[in-house]
Amino acid sequence: MSVKRAMITGVTGQDGSYLAEFLLEQGYEVIGMVRRSSTINFERIQHIQDRLTLVSGDLLDQASLIDILHEHRPHELYNLAAQSFVQTSWGQPVFTGEVTALGVTRLLDALRLVDPEIRFYQASSSEMFGKVREVPQRETTPFYPRSPYGVAKVYGHWITVNYRESYNLFAVSGICFNHESPRRGHEFVTRKIARAAARIKLGLEHELRLGNLDAQRDWGCAADYVRGMWLMLQQDQPDDYVLATGRTHTVERFAELAFDAVGLDYHDYVLQDPRLIRPADVDLLVGDPGKARHKLGWEAATSFEQLVNIMVEAELQANNP
């Protein structure tokens, strides 16, 4: 049997790097799509870069997507590329829509034109639930996004369903709840907290300013979630799945555990800053992973406490002079 080929958009991101590692372990040939950019960062894939085939493409340019699919003919296509930071989507709503929403259409249409047999994974998001209609959130829960990012992800989700039903594509969406790691971007609150706790412990910083401490999230470990993405494309029939831990924690609790990990009391260092509170925030997100557990045999393997400790330990090592 020939070697399976997988293409990953957003391969230099947190999820892209973990997925690339996972697929290489499964014996795949991995093609990673990267944008031409003066600020591109290969740090997350540096340790596996020589085992990847990196190609230049852009979700804003459909011709580049068609060319890549023609040349490399992947068996599986994972769309993890997006403008993925909720706060940035308020300042760049049009760009967020172009990449995170319309970019999915360009990719699906390129796939339809070049090879409809390619199996497609779309990275949907728990932010689509926004002002939640039910708790916990499952695959059938109505969407009520509360940010331009969430709105764009809803479009990407439904256009994937639409192409699946209209063109009989094997196209699925993974509705992933928050998943973190030491590779998370510095702008995300979990990385911000873990980094600050380590740097305060090392005497490099003195305080941590945060926005809404009461916001609750269902936080898992990114390395666990990429396995769920892969499992979705190994099924006999395409379907959409929630990937979540089924447990929720506040931002304040994350901070408490992070500072506990370095022997400090978070009350002494954490300040709430009204300037960091979003115009319309999401208060409670917690997913029901029952369908993924039952049909895929998937569940989150890393506990919340383990995740916080992993992130803080990584920051201690990275910031220790």
Side-chain angles (χ1 to χ4, degrees):
M1 183 178 174
S2 61
V3 175
K4 290 186 78 171
R5 286 184 305 282
M7 174 176 157
I8 304 171
T9 70
V11 71
T12 60
Q14 171 190 256
D15 290 5
S17 66
Y18 280 112
L19 180 60
E21 277 180 349
F22 177 84
L23 292 174
L24 288 170
E25 289 169 4
Q26 306 305 310
Y28 279 68
E29 176 187 335
V30 179
I31 301 126
M33 191 183 88
V34 295
R35 268 190 316 129
R36 281 200 181 92
S37 170
S38 59
T39 58
I40 196 161
N41 186 352
F42 291 100
E43 180 183 356
R44 295 184 184 95
I45 59 169
Q46 194 169 15
H47 61 296
I48 55 171
Q49 193 170 336
D50 61 342
R51 300 170 63 196
L52 304 176
T53 300
L54 297 180
V55 296
S56 181
D58 198 315
L59 291 184
L60 300 180
D61 179 16
Q62 189 169 1
S64 70
L65 305 176
I66 291 171
D67 287 346
I68 292 169
L69 293 180
H70 263 306
E71 182 176 352
H72 295 280
R73 296 290 178 143
H75 301 98
E76 299 171 2
L77 172 51
Y78 297 84
N79 182 36
L80 308 185
Q83 190 300 99
S84 60
F85 187 43
V86 174
Q87 192 70 35
T88 297
S89 78
W90 291 103
Q92 300 179 6
V94 175
F95 176 71
T96 299
E98 284 284 356
V99 176
T100 307
L102 290 177
V104 185
T105 311
R106 296 186 187 100
L107 203 49
L108 280 165
D109 214 47
L111 181 155
R112 178 183 68 84
L113 292 168
V114 175
D115 184 356
E117 295 301 310
I118 297 171
R119 295 191 168 201
F120 178 80
Y121 172 86
Q122 165 61 13
S124 288
S125 168
S126 60
E127 289 287 332
M128 301 188 303
F129 295 119
K131 190 175 181 180
V132 298
R133 306 286 85 187
E134 64 177 347
V135 179
Q137 295 88 53
R138 51 184 62 88
E139 292 80 5
T140 55
T141 302
F143 300 134
Y144 196 140
R146 297 273 282 170
S147 67
Y149 170 77
V151 172
K153 279 293 185 183
V154 169
Y155 177 98
H157 179 88
W158 280 119
I159 200 66
T160 301
V161 172
N162 185 259
Y163 267 64
R164 176 170 75 216
E165 296 178 349
S166 300
Y167 301 112
N168 198 31
L169 301 179
F170 196 108
V172 307
S173 286
I175 306 172
C176 292
F177 280 66
N178 295 62
H179 46 288
E180 317 298 315
S181 76
R183 299 180 195 172
R184 198 48 144 155
H186 286 284
E187 68 272 26
F188 288 85
V189 69
T190 50
R191 181 77 187 275
K192 183 178 178 182
I193 293 170
R195 187 170 188 267
R199 289 178 63 81
I200 289 170
K201 177 65 175 179
L202 296 170
L204 302 174
E205 292 181 13
H206 305 289
E207 67 178 23
L208 169 61
R209 293 182 175 271
L210 296 172
N212 183 6
L213 294 174
D214 297 323
Q216 299 178 63
R217 294 293 184 271
D218 183 330
W219 276 302
C221 181
D224 294 341
Y225 283 53
V226 298
R227 179 173 173 270
M229 299 173 189
W230 173 75
L231 283 170
M232 288 180 209
L233 293 192
Q234 312 313 309
Q235 304 306 302
D236 292 333
Q237 298 296 325
D239 205 350
D240 305 322
Y241 296 88
V242 163
L243 297 184
T245 70
R247 293 175 292 276
T248 187
H249 305 274
T250 63
V251 171
E252 186 171 19
R253 178 61 176 157
F254 196 106
E256 181 182 9
L257 287 174
F259 280 84
D260 279 351
V262 294
L264 299 175
D265 185 341
Y266 80 104
H267 289 103
D268 297 333
Y269 305 98
V270 174
L271 301 173
Q272 191 165 32
D273 189 338
R275 295 172 299 177
L276 299 177
I277 295 177
R278 298 172 185 171
D281 207 352
V282 175
D283 293 322
L284 174 60
L285 288 175
V286 56
D288 177 0
K291 182 178 174 182
R293 187 185 307 116
H294 176 67
K295 292 195 172 183
L296 303 179
W298 178 90
E299 60 183 348
T302 309
S303 73
F304 177 67
E305 293 75 15
Q306 288 171 325
L307 171 66
V308 177
N309 284 330
I310 288 168
M311 293 183 69
V312 172
E313 183 59 37
E315 294 295 340
L316 284 170
Q317 292 182 21
N319 288 277
N320 203 353

